């Protein structure tokens, strides 16, 4: 099983649609969780951290289910500018308490169409 | 304040030659990561430095790859006897210590082996 697995995509949605990304991780000792966004031919940038209680930032909502080792990202009222690759990221859980290695999923490409 | 700086931004080299890629992390960041990303693919972990701890080298694909971090700051990734399959974008990121801290990426070095 891969360390971090995401929906393969791609997703093509019209403006205003709601889109959900799913991610699972294999290491139950993982310590923290993030969604990053990567625009074409650019470096990844943090979109939001994911907390156990779930968290929201404007149109974006992230959820974490530790029991199921599952992370999700919901984008409401999608905009053209949301078109990008969304990367699920898991940190830590390796041997040695101070190893905070970041492991990335392969990403899901989202295209929002006018 | 400056972000993560990588050099060169582009490198074309002949098969069999050695290359050195440089990463200058954000000042004060004790964690430094190297990843590579082939065209259309996800981020592949290479190596992770955390303070004075032994680096996590578990992602280095072969003994042709090595990295060092001098004085806890600048890092150099060296690829010896380059092969065509080494062609990729090499991304460096840095962060403060801790599980929940954001990792910031440089813009990458695009390596082409001809």
């Amino acid at each position: 099983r891969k360390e971090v697995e995401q929906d393969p995509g791609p997703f093509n949605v019209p403006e205003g649609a709601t889109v959900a990304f799913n991610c699972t991780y294999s290491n139950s000792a993982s310590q923290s969780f993030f969604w990053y966004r990567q625009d074409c031919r650019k470096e990844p940038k943090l979109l939001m951290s994911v907390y156990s209680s779930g968290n929201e930032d404007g149109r974006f909502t992230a959820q974490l289910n530790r029991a199921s080792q599952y992370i999700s990202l919901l984008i409401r009222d999608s905009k053209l500018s949301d078109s990008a690759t969304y990367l699920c990221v898991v940190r830590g859980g390796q041997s040695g308490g101070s190893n905070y290695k970041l492991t990335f999923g392969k990403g899901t490409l989202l295209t929002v169409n006018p | 304040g400056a972000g993560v700086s990588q050099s060169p931004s582009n490198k074309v080299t002949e098969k069999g030659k050695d290359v050195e890629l440089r990463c200058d992390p954000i000042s004060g960041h004790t964690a430094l990561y190297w990843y590579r990303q082939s065209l259309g693919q996800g981020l592949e972990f290479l190596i992770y430095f955390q303070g004075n701890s032994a680096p996590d080298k578990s992602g280095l694909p072969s003994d042709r790859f090595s990295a060092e971090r001098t004085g806890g700051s600048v890092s150099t990734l060296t690829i010896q006897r380059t092969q065509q399959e080494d062609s990729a974008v090499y991304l460096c990121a840095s962060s403060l210590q801790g599980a929940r801290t954001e990792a910031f990426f440089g813009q990458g070095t695009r390596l082409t082996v001809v």
Side-chain angles (χ1 to χ4, degrees), chain B residues 4 18 23 30 36 45 53 68-69 72 90:
Chain B
V4 177
D18 297 353
C23 173
T30 56
R36 74 176 174 182
F45 168 75
S53 302
E68 61 177 25
R69 188 176 185 194
Y90 288 80

Side-chain angles (χ1 to χ4, degrees), chain B residues 79-113:
Chain B
I79 309 172
Q80 296 178 308
R81 304 181 302 281
T82 51
Q83 303 295 312
Q84 287 186 326
E85 61 262 28
D86 299 334
S87 297
V89 176
Y90 288 80
L91 289 160
C92 175
S94 72
S95 73
L96 295 169
Q97 185 173 355
R100 294 196 178 278
T101 60
E102 178 179 355
F104 295 85
F105 280 83
Q107 294 192 318
T109 294
R110 183 172 300 277
L111 176 66
T112 304
V113 182

Side-chain angles (χ1 to χ4, degrees), chain A residues 28-45:
Chain A
S28 60
S30 297
Q31 296 167 293
S32 52
F33 311 89
F34 308 88
W35 284 99
Y36 274 68
R37 169 192 168 131
Q38 185 174 25
D39 292 290
C40 188
R41 300 178 77 85
K42 298 284 192 180
E43 74 276 19
K45 292 185 179 178

Side-chain angles (χ1 to χ4, degrees), chain A:
Chain A
R1 182 179 173 186
K2 290 181 185 170
E3 290 187 74
V4 181
E5 285 203 74
Q6 296 186 237
D7 293 329
F11 290 3
N12 282 279
V13 302
E15 267 188 293
T18 295
V19 60
F21 300 99
N22 301 311
C23 172
T24 57
Y25 60 96
S26 61
N27 188 343
S28 60
S30 297
Q31 296 167 293
S32 52
F33 311 89
F34 308 88
W35 284 99
Y36 274 68
R37 169 192 168 131
Q38 185 174 25
D39 292 290
C40 188
R41 300 178 77 85
K42 298 284 192 180
E43 74 276 19
K45 292 185 179 178
L46 179 67
L47 177 65
M48 60 196 299
S49 301
V50 187
Y51 301 118
S52 296
S53 54
N55 48 301
E56 189 173 307
D57 182 2
R59 298 180 294 109
F60 299 84
T61 301
Q63 297 278 350
L64 167 65
N65 184 323
R66 281 191 181 267
S68 303
Q69 294 175 211
Y70 170 85
I71 308 160
S72 66
L73 174 69
L74 188 75
I75 305 177
R76 291 182 299 278
D77 187 23
S78 52
K79 312 290 185 193
L80 297 177
S81 56
D82 294 334
S83 297
T85 296
Y86 289 81
L87 301 164
C88 177
V89 186
V90 173
R91 190 183 228 151
Q94 286 73 35
S95 59
S98 63
N99 190 325
Y100 298 125
K101 173 179 139 182
L102 287 166
T103 303
F104 285 75
K106 287 200 161 186
T108 305
L109 176 63
L110 171 67
T111 302
V112 181
N113 302 300

